[in-house]
Amino acid sequence: MKSSRGQTRYFFDTSLFIFFPVYFEEHFYLYVFNFNDNHLDIIDNKFSEKGIPLENKYYDFPQQMINGMLKYHLRERIEDRVTMMRKMKTRVVEIPWRDNTNFNDCGVFVMRHMETYMGRLRGWECGFSPNSDNAEYIRALRIDYAKQILSDESNNNKEQFLHEVKAFEEKQKKA
């Protein structure tokens, strides 16, 4: 696809999602620009109390995000998106594994949601169970994410990390 400036835009796709992790008031959650349904989806592992308006939890941040993305698309002259974004609505994605008792793992929830969300709740399987203890699953995700981050090529300390892992494994074998 080409913008009106004639630049090739390889990232444009009719099934495009743009993910923005948000950290506010000691809590992570996720904004997803869902261009399939023309919504800014909010995915939050904590639920709001019934009757509490969206603005009381998220303030005007969703609209600020839409406005910022709209300005970008206007500047880049991506006209079809500009038309969509002027009509974009915000919605909170209702997920059955919400939990207001877990105060430590919202970042893990956000990372897993970014890996697995495809715009629809129906059939969305990210591994979290509703109404159950997800502690072991979250622990496994933490280990996996840490391993991926620490062993990534962009980690300047990768070799030191791998050396320490090898030393630890050797020590465990002798014990």
Side-chain angles (χ1 to χ4, degrees):
M1 172 187 186
K2 293 197 182 269
S3 72
S4 60
R5 291 183 182 176
Q7 299 165 322
T8 302
R9 302 223 162 263
Y10 297 103
F11 65 85
F12 183 81
D13 176 1
T14 57
S15 63
L16 185 66
F17 301 99
I18 301 174
F19 295 85
F20 284 93
V22 177
Y23 181 74
F24 182 68
E25 295 182 345
E26 299 183 21
H27 177 60
F28 285 100
Y29 54 94
L30 190 61
Y31 289 152
V32 182
F33 282 91
N34 180 343
F35 290 103
N36 290 333
D37 295 337
N38 202 34
H39 283 93
L40 175 64
D41 291 336
I42 300 173
I43 305 175
D44 190 343
N45 69 295
K46 293 192 179 289
F47 54 85
S48 296
E49 299 302 320
K50 289 188 180 191
I52 301 293
L54 182 78
E55 301 82 34
N56 286 20
K57 184 167 184 183
Y58 303 107
Y59 303 94
D60 66 340
F61 299 156
Q63 192 57 52
Q64 287 182 31
M65 290 293 293
I66 291 171
N67 292 345
M69 187 64 77
L70 178 60
K71 285 179 185 176
Y72 167 80
H73 284 85
L74 282 166
R75 186 179 69 240
E76 296 297 315
R77 297 185 180 133
I78 307 171
E79 301 300 329
D80 53 342
R81 288 283 175 82
V82 168
T83 302
M84 286 177 70
M85 296 202 69
R86 285 191 168 130
K87 298 175 186 173
M88 187 168 273
K89 302 289 184 206
T90 300
R91 69 178 171 193
V92 176
V93 177
E94 299 298 328
I95 51 178
W97 50 86
R98 281 195 169 139
D99 179 2
N100 277 11
T101 63
N102 184 329
F103 299 101
N104 301 312
D105 299 311
C106 52
V108 176
F109 279 92
V110 164
M111 290 176 72
R112 187 65 178 156
H113 292 154
M114 288 186 342
E115 285 183 312
T116 59
Y117 186 61
M118 299 295 159
R120 300 267 187 252
L121 181 57
R122 178 174 292 181
W124 182 18
E125 177 53 49
C126 68
F128 297 115
S129 300
N131 304 319
S132 70
D133 184 7
N134 287 298
E136 284 303 312
Y137 183 61
I138 289 170
R139 181 179 177 278
L141 286 172
R142 277 185 182 280
I143 291 169
D144 186 52
Y145 294 147
K147 178 183 168 191
Q148 289 179 47
I149 291 167
L150 293 170
S151 63
D152 189 83
E153 292 300 321
S154 64
N155 180 1
N156 294 334
N157 298 314
K158 175 186 174 183
E159 294 306 318
Q160 178 185 346
F161 166 71
L162 293 175
H163 176 75
E164 289 178 17
V165 166
K166 186 175 181 179
F168 177 79
E169 288 174 344
E170 292 295 323
K171 188 176 179 180
Q172 292 298 315
K173 286 180 186 175
K174 292 178 183 177

